[in-house]
Amino acid sequence: MSASEPDDVLRPQGFRPFGSRWVLREEVALKRDLDALEEIVRRTIPLKRQIELAVADNNLRWQKQQSANQLIDEIAAAMRRSAVGTDEEKKVQKQIAQLKKATRELRDGVAPDHLGGLPHMRAMLESMTLLHQHAAVLSVRIEANSNLIQRAYQQLPSKVSDWIKRHPEIEIGPLYRPEQVDLATRKTRAMLGVDEIPMFLQDKQKRIGVVLNDQFPCVLTVAPQEKRLIVTSNMALSAGITQLGPLQTIKLPGGQTTKAHAATIKHLRVGSAALHEVSALVLQPSEEHLGGVLGLKLIQAWNPQFSASGIGVSLDTENRTSTAAK
């Protein structure tokens, strides 16, 4: 066998040297994405632990603060009863107000529904949101690439397959078996906890990350009573949404009236929820500052609930399965 023969036979089929073996060029991209997915898992473990510890610490402090306030209320009630109708009444009320102000200023803790707005917590939740979104984009790309690679090996011309059999000294891919790829993506989903979507506060608005058309991550404001998806013109453009309907007048969740185009988004991923052919409203470029909105009722089949921790939206995949079966 001449030194150039693998080049002559394998390269035209899309194979390239990779270490000691020949693999398809898509396999190199697949390896890069799988490595990136593994890196996401590595980064998720300490970040998730930090968030859990911060939540537990805040809950403990918040409960102590609530207990202190309850005790103040009980003492205050007793003091008021003894002071009613006396010159001490105003003094007692002032002392009670000072005590409550002192407990607030201790910053022992905040209510769970305010936790996602604290600077350190918000920074961690934004980082976790990015990891969730990146993992979602990678997982879709990995699955598509893996399927493409499987088909390529199955459809090799017989003359190439025969040549490979005649030359066992030439090591050929695939680099990964389908079950290895599936295990990697399932491991990442389990580690991230995709049924629990990170949520943080921005100007008191609840914000979560989604992925449009399996490629564009963006952050939207959650509207619990809405069933609409509203995106900005920049989000739509980045996600490749170019077919827009005529302008129509809409009212935003906050009550503001504006105009938007109707559009269809082929794929929308929200944590473990995957929706297809989703109707959306695209704001005008001049309204970019209004941001996008995700109506939580859009994913009601997954029974979305704000988590008790105040920093997430929980989805029920089993509920989605049972609903879809009906």
Side-chain angles (χ1 to χ4, degrees):
M1 180 182 68
S2 67
S4 62
E5 195 171 348
D7 284 274
D8 296 337
V9 176
L10 297 178
R11 278 191 185 276
Q13 300 302 319
F15 285 91
R16 297 292 182 271
F18 186 80
S20 61
R21 67 172 71 185
W22 286 74
V23 300
L24 293 168
R25 64 171 69 90
E26 292 84 0
E27 293 184 79
V28 179
L30 177 63
K31 183 182 187 307
R32 184 173 59 246
D33 285 346
L34 285 170
D35 289 344
L37 211 57
E38 189 174 329
E39 174 63 14
I40 286 176
V41 171
R42 190 189 67 78
R43 291 173 57 193
T44 295
I45 294 171
L47 180 57
K48 202 172 183 180
R49 182 59 177 158
Q50 281 182 295
I51 292 173
E52 289 170 351
L53 289 173
V55 169
D57 180 65
N58 180 73
N59 285 344
L60 182 60
R61 293 174 182 274
W62 175 246
Q63 289 167 7
K64 285 182 177 179
Q65 186 173 322
Q66 294 303 98
S67 297
N69 283 334
Q70 184 179 353
L71 182 58
I72 290 171
D73 288 338
E74 291 172 358
I75 295 172
M79 291 173 69
R80 287 195 189 96
R81 284 195 297 271
S82 62
V84 170
T86 71
D87 294 338
E88 294 291 312
E89 185 173 2
K90 289 185 179 179
K91 183 179 177 181
V92 167
Q93 289 176 342
K94 185 177 180 180
Q95 289 172 332
I96 292 167
Q98 288 174 336
L99 277 170
K100 287 198 169 183
K101 183 181 178 183
T103 61
R104 289 195 298 271
E105 291 176 348
L106 285 174
R107 298 187 182 276
D108 279 341
V110 299
D113 58 353
H114 292 161
L115 182 58
L118 295 182
H120 72 288
M121 180 58 77
R122 176 178 163 178
M124 289 193 291
L125 291 170
E126 286 178 332
S127 295
M128 185 63 80
T129 296
L130 288 173
L131 291 175
H132 273 242
Q133 292 172 312
H134 191 193
V137 172
L138 284 173
S139 295
V140 171
R141 198 160 68 203
I142 285 169
E143 182 180 358
N145 232 352
S146 180
N147 291 336
L148 187 153
I149 290 165
Q150 288 181 61
R151 289 195 300 272
Y153 275 101
Q154 292 166 357
Q155 295 170 4
L156 284 176
S158 56
K159 65 177 182 178
V160 176
S161 299
D162 292 342
W163 183 91
I164 290 172
K165 290 176 183 176
R166 291 197 307 271
H167 298 281
E169 73 280 6
I170 302 296
E171 192 175 359
I172 309 293
L175 284 175
Y176 301 97
R177 299 187 305 276
E179 54 268 28
Q180 288 177 296
V181 174
D182 182 59
L183 179 62
T185 53
R186 285 191 290 110
K187 176 184 175 183
T188 303
R189 290 170 63 84
M191 182 56 63
L192 285 174
V194 292
D195 289 338
E196 183 75 16
I197 307 165
M199 180 181 73
F200 57 91
L201 298 183
Q202 182 177 346
D203 298 328
K204 297 183 179 180
Q205 293 181 323
K206 296 179 173 67
R207 307 274 282 168
I208 64 172
V210 306
V211 176
L212 304 179
N213 284 342
D214 290 338
Q215 62 180 345
F216 179 66
C218 61
V219 175
L220 305 177
T221 296
V222 177
Q225 302 306 317
E226 288 277 345
K227 197 176 181 179
R228 296 180 297 172
L229 175 64
I230 302 173
V231 298
T232 67
S233 60
N234 187 50
M235 292 174 184
L237 184 63
S238 298
I241 301 164
T242 56
Q243 298 295 320
L244 301 178
L247 272 177
Q248 56 181 281
T249 300
I250 65 167
K251 182 174 285 189
L252 298 174
Q256 182 177 354
T257 299
T258 187
K259 291 183 180 293
H261 297 275
T264 299
I265 294 178
K266 290 183 179 179
H267 306 291
L268 171 67
R269 293 185 184 272
V270 189
S272 59
L275 295 86
H276 308 287
E277 301 298 326
V278 180
S279 297
L281 293 166
V282 180
L283 300 174
Q284 299 177 91
S286 59
E287 305 289 7
E288 197 75 21
H289 64 283
L290 296 175
V293 176
L294 173 70
L296 214 54
K297 289 186 176 180
L298 193 64
I299 55 173
Q300 60 187 348
W302 285 266
N303 191 27
Q305 301 287 333
F306 292 118
S307 58
S309 64
I311 57 168
V313 175
S314 300
L315 301 183
D316 183 356
T317 305
E318 290 301 320
N319 183 74
R320 170 68 180 110
T321 303
S322 61
T323 303
K326 292 179 180 178

